[in-house]
Amino acid sequence: MLRPPRPATLLANLRRAWRRSLQLRVVSITLVMSTLLVGTFGLVVANRIIDGLLDAKAADAHKQVAAGTETVKEYVRQVPNPRVDPYLNTNLPGLVAGLVRGNPDGFSVAVVPTEPNIGELDPQAQPNALAFRQLPTAFRQKVASGGFYEQREMIEVDGQGAQPYLIVGRSVTARTYQLEVYYFFPLDDEVRAATLVRNILFATGTALVLLLAAVAFLVTRMVVSPVRVAARTAQRLSAGLLDQRMEVRGEDDLAALAASFNQMAENLQRHIQRLEEMSRLQRRFTSDVSHELRTPLTTVRMAADLIFTERDGFDAPVARSAELLQAELDRFERLLTDLLEISRFDAGFAVLDAEPTDLVPIVHRVVDQLRGVAERASVDFDLVIPDEPVIAEIDPRRVERVLRNLVGNAVDHGERQPVEVRLAVADGVVALTVRDHGVGLKPGEEKLVFNRFWRADPSRARQTGGSGLGLSISVEDARLHGGWLEAWGAPGKGAQFRLTLPTRAGEHLTSSPLRLVPEDVDARPVVGHQRDDAVAEPGADLLVAGPAHPGETR
């Protein structure tokens, strides 16, 4: 059984639709504004019409009352002594009946004395006694004080309930006597007319609002539909479908927009194809040159090895030249190897040979390989490594290469200070950090350390003789594992690199068991980007950076 959506869910869906749909916002705003406008206009018109009907009714009533009061005055003048003569009380019902006889409006009349000593005039004996009893006291007092007044009241009618009436009261003075004349005009016709006017205005206003909403829907649809088509086409273009184009219809502004969009897409496609071709040629050139240099390098290497082996029999300058030749050939060979590796990454041919591997021996092996270089640079190693094995599904060759590049860079920039290497694992994530205490990184340099052939200080002597491609290759190796390679640095506080990898291939990373910002750094606000790790990382004037990896936003 399907359950109706909860109010919170429905409200969330409405908010989402409001944010995402321009057409919904335009139609809704048009509907609300037109409802307010038409409602206000209809209310004003209805009130004016009703006021006009009541004003006309009041004008006619005033004429009836003026004529009736003259008849009452004439009648009182003919009474010899109304205070003692019963003639006034006896013939008053007939007078009242004469006043209301033959009127098409169906009004009623009541005549009562103002002076309390004229007790013979009994309004209860008049035909409209029920209406008279419902006269408001305040209204009677105003009429008795002299004057001409009117008021609308609901009066109970036998068998019909409360009915609207226009009551007009006038004080009449004849000879020395004062009477009060009250006319009761029913407003049934006016109420029916007002109801009809309101119904007509409501129906007309509703139809007009719906019509305006429909017009707004159609107009916005004409405008929004091409925009939606442009958005979908742009999404396809961003997804790599460069042949997508908008359909051009007509010659209006939307057609001009579609034509301009298509022209832009055409230019983008041409430039992207040109860049792709240039990139392909560059990769091919790098790959071809690297391969072509292998053959002469092998020949030169054989000759250099022979000369290097026999260097003891040469003069000192020649022996030194043989050593330099051997060192430069080693560097040249490493450069060719790195260029070939970069070309494989660029071409998308790099393959990950992941297998369960213990990272502890890899760390020890890299440190042992670089210990001689570190001794020449007067740099010691500080290892913080678990005693038990740290198993992860990795490509050991690539991870060892990453670690070798990081440790070699730390030795080059260690400034005779210890290089700290840490290894930790937690919650299916393994992390390696390499920290040096050298000059650190200047503001902005943390974004450049992973660029190809970039060096923080080109004038510095390098202990490891790198090619300038080590960190670029390391980044690609980390991405191939689905991991992160990040950098932190601060002037005068050294630098630290962190490699974070999942213990199982294909797992998604959300945090790292090791800090990127070292613990010995003062806790102050971080300048630059910082990943949302499971452990907060402090730092001030600290620079944190690292290339984005698939599925991550930096």
Side-chain angles (χ1 to χ4, degrees), residues 352-359 391-397 481 503 505:
L352 183 70
D353 296 327
E355 60 184 23
T357 306
D358 184 5
L359 274 76
I391 307 299
E393 294 182 3
I394 60 172
D395 187 333
R397 178 181 64 87
H481 283 83
T503 56

Side-chain angles (χ1 to χ4, degrees), residues 204-486:
T204 304
T206 302
L208 182 60
V209 168
L210 295 177
L211 180 61
L212 289 174
V215 171
F217 176 81
L218 294 176
V219 172
T220 53
R221 182 181 179 85
M222 293 174 58
V223 176
V224 171
S225 294
V227 175
R228 289 175 177 171
V229 172
R232 288 194 295 268
T233 306
Q235 291 174 353
R236 296 190 185 100
L237 287 172
S238 64
L241 302 176
L242 301 179
D243 59 341
Q244 295 296 308
R245 298 293 184 271
M246 291 181 61
E247 183 178 357
V248 180
R249 295 180 180 178
E251 300 177 357
D252 54 9
D253 295 337
L254 294 177
L257 172 64
S260 301
F261 185 92
N262 291 341
Q263 183 64 38
M264 177 192 68
E266 188 74 26
N267 293 336
L268 285 176
Q269 182 181 17
R270 185 166 56 252
H271 287 303
I272 290 174
Q273 289 176 345
R274 184 183 304 168
L275 291 175
E276 288 179 346
E277 180 64 19
M278 293 175 60
S279 177
R280 187 185 64 81
L281 292 175
Q282 182 183 14
R283 292 195 302 268
R284 183 176 178 181
F285 173 78
T286 302
S287 178
D288 290 347
V289 169
S290 300
H291 282 91
E292 291 298 327
L293 288 177
R294 281 292 183 182
T295 301
L297 178 62
T298 302
T299 303
V300 174
R301 164 66 72 182
M302 294 173 61
D305 289 342
L306 179 60
I307 297 174
F308 184 77
T309 304
E310 302 294 333
R311 70 184 183 280
D312 293 337
F314 300 152
D315 295 336
V318 178
R320 179 57 180 163
S321 299
E323 293 175 354
L324 292 176
L325 176 63
Q326 185 75 8
E328 291 303 315
L329 281 176
D330 290 341
R331 181 182 176 188
F332 189 30
E333 191 169 8
R334 284 195 299 270
L335 176 60
L336 283 180
T337 302
D338 290 345
L339 285 174
L340 285 173
E341 190 67 19
I342 282 290
S343 66
R344 279 193 287 269
F345 280 119
D346 290 339
F349 295 150
V351 179
L352 183 70
D353 296 327
E355 60 184 23
T357 306
D358 184 5
L359 274 76
V360 174
I362 294 180
V363 175
H364 285 294
R365 185 163 57 250
V366 170
V367 171
D368 291 339
Q369 291 173 358
L370 295 175
R371 195 174 296 278
V373 178
E375 290 175 354
R376 289 195 298 271
S378 300
V379 173
D380 295 328
F381 288 112
D382 181 11
L383 302 182
V384 181
I385 301 176
D387 295 331
E388 63 276 4
V390 178
I391 307 299
E393 294 182 3
I394 60 172
D395 187 333
R397 178 181 64 87
R398 296 183 183 278
V399 172
E400 183 174 344
R401 178 169 59 192
V402 172
L403 186 57
R404 186 185 304 111
N405 286 327
L406 298 181
V407 174
N409 283 339
V411 170
D412 283 338
H413 300 87
E415 298 291 335
R416 302 178 182 273
Q417 299 294 322
V419 171
E420 300 172 4
V421 181
R422 296 176 180 267
L423 174 65
V425 62
D427 300 326
V429 180
V430 61
L432 278 162
T433 60
V434 179
R435 167 80 190 281
D436 67 72
H437 297 272
V439 295
L441 295 174
K442 299 177 182 178
E445 291 183 347
E446 79 287 351
K447 302 177 182 179
L448 304 175
V449 292
F450 298 102
N451 291 351
R452 299 177 184 181
F453 299 108
W454 184 88
R455 291 183 181 179
D457 187 359
S459 64
R460 291 175 54 88
R462 299 179 58 90
Q463 302 294 332
T464 57
S467 64
L469 297 173
L471 290 180
S472 301
I473 295 175
S474 298
V475 165
E476 298 297 340
D477 284 332
R479 286 175 176 168
L480 201 60
H481 283 83
W484 308 333
L485 181 58
E486 302 163 287

Side-chain angles (χ1 to χ4, degrees), residues 123-199:
Q124 304 296 334
Q126 299 180 33
N128 54 350
L130 179 62
F132 177 77
R133 287 197 301 269
Q134 299 179 52
L135 275 175
T137 303
F139 183 72
R140 284 202 61 193
Q141 291 175 353
K142 289 193 297 183
V143 174
S145 64
F148 191 100
Y149 298 95
E150 65 178 57
Q151 185 170 321
R152 291 193 290 271
E153 288 289 338
M154 299 296 294
I155 295 178
E156 293 287 341
V157 181
D158 290 336
Q160 301 181 17
Q163 299 292 330
Y165 276 82
L166 173 64
I167 306 174
V168 180
R170 187 170 186 181
S171 177
V172 178
T173 302
R175 296 165 64 181
T176 59
Y177 313 113
Q178 183 177 355
L179 299 174
E180 300 166 20
V181 180
Y182 296 96
Y183 276 69
F184 301 85
F185 295 92
L187 298 177
D188 296 340
D189 293 340
E190 285 71 21
V191 170
R192 284 193 292 270
T195 302
L196 179 61
V197 169
R198 289 194 182 96
N199 292 338

Side-chain angles (χ1 to χ4, degrees), residues 75-119:
Y75 175 78
V76 174
R77 292 190 188 101
Q78 296 175 3
V79 177
N81 188 359
R83 296 182 183 276
V84 298
D85 193 342
Y87 177 81
L88 182 61
N89 186 53
T90 304
N91 294 282
L92 189 58
L95 172 64
V96 172
L99 291 176
V100 300
R101 185 180 301 116
N103 75 85
D105 297 332
F107 59 82
S108 302
V109 180
V111 180
V112 296
T114 300
E115 298 181 14
N117 58 347
I118 309 180

